[in-house]
């Protein structure tokens, strides 16, 4: 039985230091894949003050000018010149490159080969680990409402900043939305919204708060905003110093923002900076794709999947797929599992092929959640697979 409860989720803007690091890492992935689709990439980025440090393992035939890539990425975010940020900007930052090649001990498990046992010549998983996927029919994206509402605020804030409509906006920003759920399990109202945005020195706090309140009302459902809804806009009253000057940034540190805002579980592995042989990325994308199909097929209002892998093995090592519909399913979970296994394969090579993951598409997934962008392949529904899940094929 559902009960009255409150759930909050946050999102961060593309100028947040952790997201700066994520975007640099994902841009490295795309740069490698655009020249060499067989690239193996595990790139982590650390940003602090005027420094960008690249570390990890890359095996590729691609020829990359990493320093230019970093500067171009930072410039596109909005840290272009000292006028944008005197400490961290594309003109004056320093780049330290600590990238090396992938360990051959890992490569031999991932490469398609004649493996011992029954699997034959199949691509193995790039690491051990557990992956989760989640979907819910609370929003058009089939995502939890709190995280989607927080993303919508950040997307609109970035649009306004990049358009030049508001000259005092700066790249660093965060949002948070608290949603109350009714006894029917559906969002009933928004309790409060927190929005902090970096700004130039001269703008007044009253101007900032008026602008932010108007923006929030523009992008969130009016029917969920009540006279009691509270708005906390730049609560400290000042946010001039931001970005890497006020905080360090590291790839993979915003995995809850990247996924379901805490409402769906996360297996622990970050996404950004990794090619799809790393199943903590491709497996999580696959689980989301399947969960979204289950909810879209009308089999459940909410659904969570889990799979688990061993390094070098193609098939998941746990039960092939474990489904939890939280009591919202219209058919038994055994039936759902049987149909899922007919419609989808969780082997790494099959996931790569089904979702087209050997393409340079990952920088487009970095910001505002990996599971809410309609242009990404794991967010697109396949009519043939939907028919199988519905029992029509």
């Amino acid at each position: 039985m559902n009960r009255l409860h409150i759930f909050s989720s946050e999102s961060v803007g593309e100028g947040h230091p952790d997201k700066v690091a994520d975007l640099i890492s994902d841009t490295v992935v795309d740069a490698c894949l655009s020249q060499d689709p067989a690239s193996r990439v595990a790139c982590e980025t650390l940003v602090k003050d005027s420094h960008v440090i690249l570390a990890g393992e890359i095996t590729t035939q691609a020829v990359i000018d990493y320093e230019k890539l970093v500067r171009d990425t930072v410039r596109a975010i909005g840290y272009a010149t000292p006028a944008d940020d005197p400490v961290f900007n594309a003109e004056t930052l320093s780049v330290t490159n600590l990238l090396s090649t992938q360990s051959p001990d890992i490569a031999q498990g991932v490469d398609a080969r004649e493996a011992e046992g029954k699997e034959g010549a199949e691509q193995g998983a790039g690491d051990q680990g557990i992956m989760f996927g989640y979907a819910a029919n609370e929003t058009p994206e089939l995502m939890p409402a709190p995280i989607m509402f927080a993303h919508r605020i950040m997307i609109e804030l970035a649009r306004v900043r990049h358009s030049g409509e508001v000259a005092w906006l700066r790249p660093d920003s965060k949002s948070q939305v608290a949603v109350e759920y009714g006894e029917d399990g559906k969002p009933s109202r928004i309790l409060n919204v927190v929005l902090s945005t970096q700004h130039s020195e001269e703008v007044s706090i009253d101007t900032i708060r008026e602008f932010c309140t108007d923006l929030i009302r523009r992008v969130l459902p009016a029917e969920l905003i009540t006279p009691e809804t509270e708005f906390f806009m730049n609560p400290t009253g000042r946010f001039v110093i931001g970005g890497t000057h006020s905080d360090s940034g590291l790839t993979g540190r915003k995995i809850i923002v990247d996924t379901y805002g805490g409402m769906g579980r996360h297996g622990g592995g970050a996404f950004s900076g990794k090619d799809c042989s790393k199943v903590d990325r491709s497996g999580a994308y696959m689980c989301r794709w399947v969960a979204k199909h289950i909810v879209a097929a009308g089999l459940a209002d909410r659904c969570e999947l889990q799979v688990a892998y061993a390094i070098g093995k193609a098939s998941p090592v746990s039960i092939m797929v474990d489904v939890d519909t939280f009591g919202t399913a219209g058919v038994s979970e055994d039936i759902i599992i049987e149909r899922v296994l007919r419609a989808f394969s969780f082997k790494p090579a099959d996931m790569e092929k089904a979702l087209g993951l050997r393409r340079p598409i990952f920088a487009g997934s970095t910001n505002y959640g990996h599971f809410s962008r309609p242009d990404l392949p794991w967010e697109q529904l396949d009519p043939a697979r939907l028919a199988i899940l519905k029992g029509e094929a």
Side-chain angles (χ1 to χ4, degrees), residues 174-355:
K174 300 180 76 171
S175 65
Q176 183 174 286
V177 180
V179 176
E180 181 180 83
Y181 286 76
E183 293 182 357
D184 61 355
K186 304 296 183 182
S188 60
R189 64 183 178 125
I190 294 172
L191 264 67
N192 57 68
V193 181
V194 184
L195 175 55
S196 296
T197 182
Q198 188 184 12
H199 57 86
S200 61
E201 182 80 42
E202 71 279 359
V203 65
S204 71
I205 186 62
D206 290 339
T207 297
I208 294 169
R209 287 174 175 166
E210 181 181 2
F211 163 80
C212 289
T213 301
D214 289 345
L215 183 148
I216 289 165
R217 289 186 177 277
R218 187 164 68 245
V219 300
L220 297 189
E223 67 274 14
L224 296 182
I225 297 177
T226 72
E228 290 74 38
T229 300
E230 295 183 287
F231 299 91
F232 302 98
M233 309 292 97
N234 276 29
T236 69
R238 178 181 170 87
F239 189 5
V240 173
I241 299 174
T244 66
H245 191 35
S246 63
D247 193 9
S248 60
L250 185 65
T251 300
R253 202 156 56 182
K254 285 293 178 284
I255 57 176
I256 300 303
V257 173
D258 290 342
T259 53
Y260 309 103
M263 191 169 289
R265 285 177 285 191
H266 190 288
F271 303 152
S272 290
K274 300 175 182 177
D275 75 277
C276 58
S277 70
K278 283 71 174 174
V279 287
D280 41 12
R281 185 168 210 167
S282 56
Y285 289 174
M286 190 69 181
C287 286
R288 161 62 180 171
W289 197 43
V290 175
K292 187 172 184 178
H293 276 77
I294 290 171
V295 174
L299 299 180
D301 294 335
R302 289 187 289 151
C303 178
E304 185 176 69
L305 276 79
Q306 184 208 53
V307 295
Y309 292 89
I311 189 168
K313 299 297 183 182
S315 295
V317 296
S318 66
I319 298 173
M320 176 64 83
V321 60
D322 185 24
V323 176
D324 186 348
T325 59
F326 308 95
T328 68
V331 299
S332 76
E333 291 178 354
D334 288 341
I335 290 175
I336 294 175
I337 292 172
E338 183 272 328
R339 292 177 183 175
V340 164
L341 296 181
R342 283 201 289 124
F344 302 92
S345 169
F346 291 84
K347 294 182 178 181
D350 294 338
M351 295 190 299
E352 289 180 13
K353 182 177 180 181
L355 296 174

Side-chain angles (χ1 to χ4, degrees), residues 101-112:
T101 57
Q102 185 182 57
S103 162
D105 293 343
I106 296 176
Q108 71 175 354
V110 179
D111 292 337

Side-chain angles (χ1 to χ4, degrees), residues 77-90:
I77 291 170
Y79 295 114
T81 71
D84 300 309
D85 190 301
V87 175
F88 184 75
N89 63 80

Side-chain angles (χ1 to χ4, degrees), residues 21-34 39-45 54-55 57-58 60 62 64-66 69-70 73 99 273-274 360 362-363:
D22 281 345
L23 186 58
I24 291 171
S25 293
D26 275 336
T27 303
V28 169
V29 174
D30 282 356
C32 291
L33 293 177
S34 66
S39 297
R40 297 277 168 74
V41 185
C43 175
E44 296 195 27
T45 304
L54 304 178
E57 301 79 41
I58 296 180
T60 183
I64 309 295
D65 184 339
Y66 290 104
L69 181 150
V70 168
T73 302
L99 295 166
K274 300 175 182 177
F362 296 106

